[in-house]
Amino acid sequence: MSIGTDISLSSYDEDQGSKVTCKAREAPFVPIAMAGFAAIVTYGLYKLKSRGNTEMSVHLIHMHVAVQGFVVGAVTLGMGYSMYKEFWAKPKP
Protein backbone atom coordinates (compact mmCIF):
# COMPACT_ATOMS: atom_id res chain seq x y z
CA MET A 1 0.00 0.00 0.00
CA SER A 2 2.19 2.73 -1.28
CA ILE A 3 0.74 6.17 -1.64
CA GLY A 4 3.38 7.22 -4.11
CA THR A 5 5.41 9.55 -1.94
CA ASP A 6 8.85 8.38 -0.94
CA ILE A 7 9.83 10.24 2.19
CA SER A 8 12.83 8.89 4.00
CA LEU A 9 14.17 9.97 7.35
CA SER A 10 17.61 10.87 5.97
CA SER A 11 16.19 13.31 3.43
CA TYR A 12 14.08 14.89 6.17
CA ASP A 13 17.19 15.42 8.32
CA GLU A 14 19.10 16.95 5.42
CA ASP A 15 16.22 19.27 4.68
CA GLN A 16 16.06 20.42 8.30
CA GLY A 17 19.82 20.94 8.46
CA SER A 18 19.85 22.92 5.25
CA LYS A 19 16.90 24.96 6.50
CA VAL A 20 18.83 25.87 9.66
CA THR A 21 21.94 26.86 7.71
CA CYS A 22 19.82 28.88 5.27
CA LYS A 23 18.19 30.75 8.16
CA ALA A 24 21.62 31.31 9.74
CA ARG A 25 22.84 32.84 6.47
CA GLU A 26 19.80 35.12 6.31
CA ALA A 27 20.19 36.34 9.90
CA PRO A 28 23.79 35.68 11.01
CA PHE A 29 23.45 37.52 14.31
CA VAL A 30 20.83 35.11 15.72
CA PRO A 31 23.29 32.20 16.12
CA ILE A 32 25.81 34.70 17.52
CA ALA A 33 23.20 35.86 20.06
CA MET A 34 22.45 32.26 21.03
CA ALA A 35 26.16 31.49 21.47
CA GLY A 36 26.65 34.66 23.53
CA PHE A 37 23.66 33.75 25.67
CA ALA A 38 25.16 30.31 26.37
CA ALA A 39 28.60 31.80 27.09
CA ILE A 40 27.28 34.41 29.54
CA VAL A 41 25.13 31.85 31.34
CA THR A 42 28.10 29.46 31.59
CA TYR A 43 30.32 32.27 32.92
CA GLY A 44 27.63 33.26 35.43
CA LEU A 45 27.31 29.72 36.72
CA TYR A 46 31.10 29.50 37.02
CA LYS A 47 31.29 32.77 38.95
CA LEU A 48 28.35 31.78 41.15
CA LYS A 49 30.56 30.01 43.68
CA SER A 50 33.00 32.93 43.98
CA ARG A 51 30.51 35.77 44.24
CA GLY A 52 31.74 36.73 47.71
CA ASN A 53 29.20 38.35 50.02
CA THR A 54 26.88 39.34 47.17
CA GLU A 55 23.33 38.11 47.56
CA MET A 56 22.14 35.42 45.19
CA SER A 57 19.27 37.56 43.90
CA VAL A 58 21.61 40.44 43.05
CA HIS A 59 23.93 38.06 41.22
CA LEU A 60 21.03 36.63 39.22
CA ILE A 61 19.74 40.11 38.36
CA HIS A 62 23.19 41.11 37.08
CA MET A 63 23.38 37.95 34.97
CA HIS A 64 19.88 38.55 33.61
CA VAL A 65 20.76 42.09 32.58
CA ALA A 66 24.01 40.94 30.94
CA VAL A 67 22.33 38.19 28.94
CA GLN A 68 19.39 40.35 27.94
CA GLY A 69 21.66 43.19 26.87
CA PHE A 70 23.84 40.90 24.76
CA VAL A 71 20.90 39.26 23.01
CA VAL A 72 19.08 42.55 22.35
CA GLY A 73 22.30 44.06 21.02
CA ALA A 74 22.94 41.11 18.70
CA VAL A 75 19.37 41.14 17.39
CA THR A 76 19.58 44.91 16.85
CA LEU A 77 22.82 44.52 14.90
CA GLY A 78 21.16 41.75 12.89
CA MET A 79 18.23 44.00 12.03
CA GLY A 80 20.62 46.75 10.97
CA TYR A 81 22.55 44.29 8.82
CA SER A 82 19.32 43.07 7.20
CA MET A 83 18.20 46.62 6.50
CA TYR A 84 21.58 47.42 4.99
CA LYS A 85 21.41 44.38 2.71
CA GLU A 86 17.85 45.11 1.67
CA PHE A 87 17.92 48.87 1.14
CA TRP A 88 21.48 50.12 0.60
CA ALA A 89 23.50 47.18 -0.71
CA LYS A 90 20.93 46.29 -3.36
CA PRO A 91 22.15 46.99 -6.88
CA LYS A 92 20.19 49.76 -8.56
CA PRO A 93 18.21 48.64 -11.64
Side-chain angles (χ1 to χ4, degrees), residues 9-58:
L9 228 45
S10 64
S11 68
Y12 178 75
D13 290 339
E14 290 172 3
D15 290 340
Q16 292 299 322
S18 64
K19 189 184 289 187
V20 169
T21 53
C22 181
K23 289 289 184 182
R25 271 190 233 127
E26 289 175 5
F29 287 97
V30 173
I32 293 171
M34 291 169 58
F37 169 80
I40 292 173
V41 167
T42 303
Y43 176 74
L45 289 174
Y46 175 73
K47 295 301 271 181
L48 187 62
K49 49 184 180 171
S50 65
R51 69 183 189 272
N53 60 357
T54 307
E55 292 288 327
M56 174 71 106
S57 61
V58 173

Side-chain angles (χ1 to χ4, degrees), residues 5 7 12-14 24 42 48 57 60 67 72 77 83 90 93:
T5 57
I7 299 174
Y12 178 75
D13 290 339
E14 290 172 3
T42 303
L48 187 62
S57 61
L60 291 176
V67 168
V72 167
L77 286 174
M83 288 174 58
K90 234 182 193 179

